[in-house]
Protein backbone atom coordinates (compact mmCIF):
# COMPACT_ATOMS: atom_id res chain seq x y z
CA UNK A 1 0.00 0.00 0.00
CA UNK A 2 1.57 3.30 -1.11
CA UNK A 3 -0.83 5.83 0.39
CA UNK A 4 0.56 9.31 0.97
CA UNK A 5 1.97 10.10 4.39
CA UNK A 6 3.98 13.19 5.36
CA UNK A 7 5.71 13.83 8.66
CA UNK A 8 4.62 17.31 9.75
CA UNK A 9 6.21 17.75 13.18
CA UNK A 10 7.74 15.88 16.11
CA UNK A 11 8.07 16.00 19.88
CA UNK A 12 10.53 14.13 22.10
CA UNK A 13 11.43 13.39 25.70
CA UNK A 14 14.77 11.56 25.97
CA UNK A 15 17.75 11.08 28.25
CA UNK A 16 19.60 13.84 26.35
CA UNK A 17 16.78 16.40 26.07
CA UNK A 18 13.23 17.15 27.14
CA UNK A 19 12.19 18.36 23.68
CA UNK A 20 12.96 17.49 20.06
CA UNK A 21 15.46 20.31 19.25
CA UNK A 22 17.68 19.61 22.25
CA UNK A 23 17.44 15.82 21.85
CA UNK A 24 18.33 15.96 18.15
CA UNK A 25 21.19 18.41 18.74
CA UNK A 26 22.63 16.13 21.42
CA UNK A 27 22.34 13.01 19.25
CA UNK A 28 23.91 14.88 16.33
CA UNK A 29 26.83 15.78 18.61
CA UNK A 30 27.08 12.12 19.70
CA UNK A 31 26.33 12.99 23.31
CA UNK A 32 24.75 10.33 25.49
CA UNK A 33 22.50 10.19 28.53
CA UNK A 34 24.27 7.29 30.25
CA UNK A 35 24.74 7.35 34.01
CA UNK A 36 24.65 5.12 37.05
CA UNK A 37 21.18 3.95 38.09
CA UNK A 38 19.94 2.58 41.42
CA UNK A 39 19.79 -0.93 39.91
CA UNK A 40 22.47 -3.44 40.94
CA UNK A 41 24.35 -5.76 38.62
CA UNK A 42 25.36 -9.36 39.38
CA UNK A 43 28.62 -8.23 41.01
CA UNK A 44 26.90 -5.59 43.15
CA UNK A 45 27.89 -2.67 40.91
CA UNK A 46 25.50 0.13 39.94
CA UNK A 47 24.14 -0.55 36.45
CA UNK A 48 24.48 2.07 33.74
CA UNK A 49 21.22 3.24 32.19
CA UNK A 50 19.78 6.15 30.23
CA UNK A 51 16.93 7.59 32.35
CA UNK A 52 14.95 10.68 31.38
CA UNK A 53 15.60 13.60 33.79
CA UNK A 54 11.96 14.47 34.41
CA UNK A 55 11.13 17.50 36.61
CA UNK A 56 9.15 15.24 38.97
CA UNK A 57 9.83 11.68 40.02
CA UNK A 58 6.72 10.09 38.51
CA UNK A 59 6.74 6.30 38.64
CA UNK A 60 5.15 3.44 36.73
CA UNK A 61 2.45 4.07 34.14
CA UNK A 62 2.12 7.68 35.33
CA UNK A 63 5.74 8.28 34.29
CA UNK A 64 5.07 6.90 30.82
CA UNK A 65 1.89 8.95 30.50
CA UNK A 66 3.62 12.23 31.35
CA UNK A 67 6.53 11.50 28.99
CA UNK A 68 4.18 10.66 26.10
CA UNK A 69 1.91 13.65 26.78
CA UNK A 70 4.86 16.06 26.76
CA UNK A 71 5.96 14.73 23.35
CA UNK A 72 2.40 15.05 21.99
CA UNK A 73 1.99 18.64 23.19
CA UNK A 74 5.29 19.59 21.53
CA UNK A 75 4.28 17.98 18.23
CA UNK A 76 1.00 19.93 18.23
CA UNK A 77 2.80 23.24 18.84
CA UNK A 78 3.93 23.28 15.20
CA UNK A 79 0.38 22.69 13.95
CA UNK A 80 -2.23 23.60 16.57
CA UNK A 81 -5.05 23.28 14.03
CA UNK A 82 -4.52 19.50 14.15
CA UNK A 83 -5.91 19.32 17.70
CA UNK A 84 -9.33 17.72 17.72
CA UNK A 85 -8.83 16.38 14.17
CA UNK A 86 -6.32 13.65 14.95
CA UNK A 87 -6.28 9.88 15.28
CA UNK A 88 -3.78 8.47 17.77
CA UNK A 89 -1.58 5.38 17.39
CA UNK A 90 0.24 4.42 20.58
CA UNK A 91 3.41 2.29 20.37
CA UNK A 92 4.23 0.25 23.48
CA UNK A 93 6.45 -2.55 24.77
CA UNK A 94 5.78 -6.14 23.81
CA UNK A 95 2.88 -7.54 25.82
CA UNK A 96 4.98 -10.45 27.13
CA UNK A 97 7.99 -8.38 28.22
CA UNK A 98 8.64 -8.82 31.97
CA UNK A 99 8.33 -5.59 33.93
CA UNK A 100 6.19 -3.83 31.33
CA UNK A 101 5.15 -0.60 33.05
CA UNK A 102 1.66 -0.32 31.58
CA UNK A 103 -0.04 -3.73 31.42
CA UNK A 104 -3.38 -2.01 30.78
CA UNK A 105 -2.67 -0.21 27.50
CA UNK A 106 -6.14 1.29 27.22
CA UNK A 107 -5.87 2.84 30.67
CA UNK A 108 -2.48 4.31 29.72
CA UNK A 109 -4.01 5.68 26.52
CA UNK A 110 -6.73 7.40 28.54
CA UNK A 111 -4.16 8.89 30.95
CA UNK A 112 -2.11 10.25 28.05
CA UNK A 113 -5.17 11.79 26.39
CA UNK A 114 -6.17 13.50 29.63
CA UNK A 115 -2.72 14.91 30.44
CA UNK A 116 -2.16 16.11 26.86
CA UNK A 117 -5.75 17.42 26.75
CA UNK A 118 -6.64 15.50 23.60
CA UNK A 119 -9.43 13.44 25.14
CA UNK A 120 -11.60 11.79 22.54
CA UNK A 121 -9.35 11.42 19.46
CA UNK A 122 -11.12 10.55 16.21
CA UNK A 123 -9.70 7.03 16.46
CA UNK A 124 -7.10 5.30 18.62
CA UNK A 125 -4.98 2.21 18.11
CA UNK A 126 -2.39 0.43 20.27
CA UNK A 127 0.63 -1.28 18.68
CA UNK A 128 2.59 -3.37 21.20
CA UNK A 129 5.60 -4.79 19.36
CA UNK A 130 8.52 -3.10 21.11
CA UNK A 131 11.18 -1.46 18.93
CA UNK A 132 9.58 -2.12 15.50
CA UNK A 133 6.21 -0.78 16.72
CA UNK A 134 6.79 2.50 14.90
CA UNK A 135 7.00 0.77 11.54
CA UNK A 136 3.70 -1.02 12.17
CA UNK A 137 2.24 2.32 13.31
CA UNK A 138 3.30 3.96 10.03
CA UNK A 139 1.32 1.33 8.15
CA UNK A 140 -1.69 1.90 10.43
CA UNK A 141 -1.38 5.68 10.00
CA UNK A 142 -1.28 5.65 6.21
CA UNK A 143 -4.34 3.41 6.14
CA UNK A 144 -6.21 5.79 8.45
CA UNK A 145 -5.23 8.73 6.24
CA UNK A 146 -6.11 6.90 3.01
CA UNK A 147 -9.57 6.05 4.36
CA UNK A 148 -10.17 9.73 5.25
CA UNK A 149 -11.02 8.58 8.78
CA UNK A 150 -8.91 11.48 10.08
CA UNK A 151 -6.97 14.34 8.43
CA UNK A 152 -4.09 13.86 10.90
CA UNK A 153 -2.58 10.90 12.74
CA UNK A 154 -0.21 11.24 15.66
CA UNK A 155 2.10 8.28 16.28
CA UNK A 156 3.32 8.16 19.88
CA UNK A 157 6.00 5.79 21.15
CA UNK A 158 6.80 5.51 24.86
CA UNK A 159 8.76 2.84 26.69
CA UNK A 160 11.13 2.15 29.60
CA UNK A 161 13.48 -0.71 30.40
CA UNK A 162 14.26 0.85 33.79
CA UNK A 163 12.12 -1.35 36.04
CA UNK A 164 13.35 -3.94 38.55
CA UNK A 165 11.60 -6.86 36.88
CA UNK A 166 12.85 -5.90 33.41
CA UNK A 167 16.41 -5.34 34.63
CA UNK A 168 16.46 -8.70 36.45
CA UNK A 169 15.03 -10.49 33.41
CA UNK A 170 17.74 -9.23 31.05
CA UNK A 171 20.52 -9.60 33.63
CA UNK A 172 19.59 -13.27 34.03
CA UNK A 173 19.91 -13.71 30.27
CA UNK A 174 23.21 -11.79 30.13
CA UNK A 175 21.75 -9.21 27.79
CA UNK A 176 22.72 -6.03 29.69
CA UNK A 177 26.01 -4.18 29.33
CA UNK A 178 28.05 -4.70 32.51
CA UNK A 179 31.76 -4.88 33.42
CA UNK A 180 31.45 -8.65 32.97
CA UNK A 181 29.48 -8.53 29.71
CA UNK A 182 30.61 -6.32 26.82
CA UNK A 183 28.00 -7.82 24.48
CA UNK A 184 24.96 -6.19 26.03
CA UNK A 185 22.68 -3.16 25.83
CA UNK A 186 22.16 -0.16 28.07
CA UNK A 187 18.56 0.07 29.32
CA UNK A 188 16.90 3.38 28.58
CA UNK A 189 13.57 5.12 28.31
CA UNK A 190 12.05 7.77 26.05
CA UNK A 191 8.91 9.08 24.39
CA UNK A 192 8.37 10.62 20.97
CA UNK A 193 5.40 11.81 18.95
CA UNK A 194 5.18 12.17 15.17
CA UNK A 195 2.33 14.16 13.61
CA UNK A 196 1.38 12.79 10.19
CA UNK A 197 -0.84 14.07 7.37
CA UNK A 198 -1.37 13.19 3.73
CA UNK A 199 0.36 16.38 2.60
CA UNK A 200 1.97 19.49 4.03
CA UNK A 201 5.04 18.03 5.75
CA UNK A 202 8.72 18.49 4.99
CA UNK A 203 9.40 14.72 5.04
CA UNK A 204 7.57 12.01 3.11
CA UNK A 205 7.22 8.27 3.79
CA UNK A 206 8.32 6.76 0.48
CA UNK A 207 8.44 3.06 1.30
CA UNK A 208 7.83 0.60 4.12
CA UNK A 209 8.85 -3.02 4.75
CA UNK A 210 7.70 -5.39 7.52
CA UNK A 211 9.07 -8.96 7.73
CA UNK A 212 9.68 -11.52 10.51
CA UNK A 213 13.05 -13.21 11.08
CA UNK A 214 12.95 -16.91 11.97
CA UNK A 215 16.52 -16.92 13.31
CA UNK A 216 15.82 -14.27 15.95
CA UNK A 217 18.02 -13.54 18.97
CA UNK A 218 16.27 -16.25 21.04
CA UNK A 219 16.52 -18.78 18.19
CA UNK A 220 16.40 -22.21 19.87
CA UNK A 221 15.97 -24.20 16.64
CA UNK A 222 19.53 -23.43 15.46
CA UNK A 223 18.22 -21.87 12.25
CA UNK A 224 21.18 -20.31 10.42
CA UNK A 225 21.19 -16.53 10.83
CA UNK A 226 21.61 -14.78 7.47
CA UNK A 227 19.77 -11.52 8.03
CA UNK A 228 17.16 -12.57 5.47
CA UNK A 229 14.17 -10.84 7.07
CA UNK A 230 15.83 -7.43 7.42
CA UNK A 231 17.14 -7.77 3.87
CA UNK A 232 13.57 -8.47 2.71
CA UNK A 233 12.34 -5.44 4.69
CA UNK A 234 15.02 -3.29 2.98
CA UNK A 235 13.93 -4.54 -0.44
CA UNK A 236 10.23 -3.98 0.29
CA UNK A 237 10.86 -0.43 1.52
CA UNK A 238 13.11 0.40 -1.42
CA UNK A 239 10.64 -1.09 -3.92
CA UNK A 240 7.86 1.07 -2.47
CA UNK A 241 10.00 4.18 -2.81
CA UNK A 242 11.31 3.31 -6.28
CA UNK A 243 14.93 3.58 -5.15
CA UNK A 244 17.84 1.14 -5.03
CA UNK A 245 19.81 0.36 -1.91
CA UNK A 246 22.74 2.24 -3.47
CA UNK A 247 20.55 5.39 -3.61
CA UNK A 248 20.23 5.47 0.21
CA UNK A 249 22.34 8.36 1.53
CA UNK A 250 21.87 7.77 5.27
CA UNK A 251 20.89 4.87 7.49
CA UNK A 252 19.42 5.21 10.95
CA UNK A 253 19.04 2.19 13.21
CA UNK A 254 18.12 1.33 16.78
CA UNK A 255 21.32 -0.82 17.04
CA UNK A 256 21.06 -1.12 20.80
CA UNK A 257 24.56 -2.51 21.35
CA UNK A 258 24.49 -6.30 21.07
CA UNK A 259 26.49 -7.97 18.29
CA UNK A 260 23.39 -9.66 16.85
CA UNK A 261 21.85 -6.37 15.67
CA UNK A 262 25.04 -5.12 14.02
CA UNK A 263 25.43 -8.46 12.24
CA UNK A 264 21.83 -8.24 11.06
CA UNK A 265 22.41 -4.76 9.64
CA UNK A 266 25.65 -5.84 7.91
CA UNK A 267 24.10 -8.99 6.43
CA UNK A 268 21.06 -7.08 5.20
CA UNK A 269 23.32 -4.55 3.49
CA UNK A 270 25.34 -7.33 1.82
CA UNK A 271 22.14 -8.98 0.58
CA UNK A 272 20.63 -5.82 -0.92
CA UNK A 273 23.57 -3.71 -2.14
CA UNK A 274 24.13 -4.63 -5.78
CA UNK A 275 25.51 -1.38 -7.21
CA UNK A 276 28.63 0.56 -6.28
CA UNK A 277 28.10 3.59 -4.07
CA UNK A 278 30.01 5.78 -1.66
CA UNK A 279 30.27 4.66 1.96
CA UNK A 280 27.13 5.93 3.68
CA UNK A 281 26.88 7.10 7.31
CA UNK A 282 24.92 5.07 9.86
CA UNK A 283 23.39 6.95 12.79
CA UNK A 284 22.90 4.68 15.78
CA UNK A 285 20.17 5.56 18.26
CA UNK A 286 21.57 3.20 20.88
CA UNK A 287 24.85 5.14 21.01
CA UNK A 288 23.08 8.07 22.69
CA UNK A 289 19.94 6.63 24.30
CA UNK A 290 20.57 2.91 24.81
CA UNK A 291 17.60 0.61 24.28
CA UNK A 292 14.41 2.70 24.33
CA UNK A 293 12.07 0.03 23.00
CA UNK A 294 8.84 1.22 21.37
CA UNK A 295 10.00 4.85 21.29
CA UNK A 296 12.87 4.00 18.90
CA UNK A 297 11.22 4.51 15.51
CA UNK A 298 9.32 7.71 16.43
CA UNK A 299 12.58 9.16 17.81
CA UNK A 300 14.45 8.25 14.62
CA UNK A 301 11.71 9.73 12.44
CA UNK A 302 11.84 12.92 14.49
CA UNK A 303 15.63 13.02 14.21
CA UNK A 304 15.46 12.53 10.44
CA UNK A 305 12.86 15.31 10.19
CA UNK A 306 15.08 17.68 12.20
CA UNK A 307 18.14 16.78 10.10
CA UNK A 308 16.23 17.55 6.88
CA UNK A 309 14.77 20.80 8.21
CA UNK A 310 18.13 22.02 9.54
CA UNK A 311 20.10 20.91 6.50
CA UNK A 312 22.56 18.47 8.02
CA UNK A 313 21.07 15.29 6.55
CA UNK A 314 22.66 14.09 3.28
CA UNK A 315 20.51 14.84 0.25
CA UNK A 316 18.57 11.75 -0.80
CA UNK A 317 16.57 8.85 0.66
CA UNK A 318 17.02 7.91 4.33
CA UNK A 319 16.55 4.32 5.52
CA UNK A 320 15.25 3.82 9.07
CA UNK A 321 15.42 0.30 10.52
CA UNK A 322 14.46 -1.41 13.78
CA UNK A 323 13.92 -4.97 14.92
CA UNK A 324 12.66 -6.86 17.95
CA UNK A 325 13.69 -9.84 20.03
CA UNK A 326 10.88 -11.91 18.49
CA UNK A 327 12.29 -11.43 14.97
CA UNK A 328 10.01 -8.60 13.81
CA UNK A 329 11.97 -6.43 11.35
CA UNK A 330 10.92 -3.06 9.97
CA UNK A 331 12.47 -0.69 7.44
CA UNK A 332 11.18 2.65 6.16
CA UNK A 333 12.49 4.94 3.45
CA UNK A 334 11.79 8.64 4.00
CA UNK A 335 12.68 11.58 1.80
CA UNK A 336 12.53 15.37 1.92
CA UNK A 337 9.46 16.85 0.24
Amino acid sequence: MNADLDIVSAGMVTAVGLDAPSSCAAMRARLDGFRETRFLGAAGEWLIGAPVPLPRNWMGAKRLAHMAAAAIVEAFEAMPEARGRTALVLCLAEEDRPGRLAPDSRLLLTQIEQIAEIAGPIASRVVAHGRPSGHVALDVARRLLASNEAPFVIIVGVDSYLTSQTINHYLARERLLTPRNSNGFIPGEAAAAILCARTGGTMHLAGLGLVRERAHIYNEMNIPFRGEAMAAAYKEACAGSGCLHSDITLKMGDLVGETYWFQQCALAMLRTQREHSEVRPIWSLGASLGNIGAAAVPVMLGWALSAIQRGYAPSGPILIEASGDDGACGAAVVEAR
Side-chain angles (χ1 to χ4, degrees), residues 22-289:
S22 57
S23 294
C24 294
M27 291 187 289
R28 181 187 181 189
R30 301 298 186 265
L31 301 179
D32 65 63
F34 305 149
R35 62 181 178 86
E36 287 185 347
T37 67
R38 298 295 92 185
F39 297 104
L40 289 175
E45 77 284 5
W46 297 119
L47 285 176
I48 300 299
V52 172
L54 291 176
R56 294 178 63 182
N57 191 29
W58 291 297
M59 304 296 289
K62 189 174 183 180
R63 183 177 181 86
L64 294 187
H66 277 277
M67 287 165 55
I72 291 170
V73 169
E74 184 187 358
F76 276 135
E77 286 175 355
M79 186 163 284
E81 61 269 29
R83 276 186 173 273
R85 305 169 60 206
T86 307
L88 191 152
V89 183
L90 180 61
C91 302
L92 297 175
E94 305 91 329
E95 292 185 352
D96 60 352
R97 186 204 296 169
R100 189 174 187 252
L101 275 180
D104 188 337
S105 57
R106 284 290 160 182
L107 178 60
L108 177 64
L109 187 63
T110 300
Q111 290 177 314
I112 292 169
E113 292 170 0
Q114 290 174 346
I115 296 169
E117 297 181 350
I118 55 165
I122 293 174
S124 60
R125 306 282 191 279
V126 174
V127 178
H129 297 298
R131 290 193 301 278
S133 294
H135 288 105
V136 178
L138 285 171
D139 186 48
V140 173
R142 64 182 180 179
R143 292 176 187 276
L144 285 168
L145 293 170
S147 68
N148 292 318
E149 192 169 341
F152 298 94
V153 177
I154 193 159
I155 296 172
V156 188
V158 63
D159 206 346
S160 177
Y161 280 78
L162 297 170
T163 74
S164 296
Q165 193 176 351
T166 301
I167 292 292
N168 291 335
H169 171 78
Y170 288 106
L171 270 177
R173 284 153 182 76
E174 299 183 342
R175 298 258 331 256
L176 297 186
L177 182 67
T178 68
R180 295 183 176 185
N181 180 29
S182 60
N183 184 27
F185 67 80
I186 293 175
E189 61 183 3
I194 305 297
L195 185 62
C196 308
R198 295 193 69 170
T199 59
T202 53
M203 189 172 78
H204 174 63
L205 175 66
L208 184 65
L210 295 163
V211 186
R212 188 170 294 278
E213 175 64 64
R214 294 173 65 236
H216 52 75
I217 198 168
Y218 289 131
N219 173 22
E220 296 176 351
M221 299 174 64
N222 295 320
I223 301 170
F225 178 49
R226 303 189 181 95
E228 293 174 344
M230 186 58 82
Y234 280 14
K235 291 175 183 177
E236 191 176 332
C238 287
S241 66
C243 74
L244 301 173
H245 187 276
S246 54
D247 297 325
I248 300 297
T249 59
L250 168 66
K251 273 189 185 170
M252 303 176 73
D254 48 348
L255 300 174
V256 295
E258 295 165 291
T259 303
Y260 177 93
W261 313 111
F262 291 98
Q263 289 178 338
Q264 178 176 253
C265 180
L267 289 168
M269 290 169 65
L270 287 171
R271 287 182 170 275
T272 53
Q273 178 82 21
R274 291 292 178 264
E275 300 79 20
H276 175 75
S277 66
E278 299 293 328
V279 176
R280 305 302 191 188
I282 299 177
W283 294 358
S284 167
L285 197 64
S288 291
L289 305 180

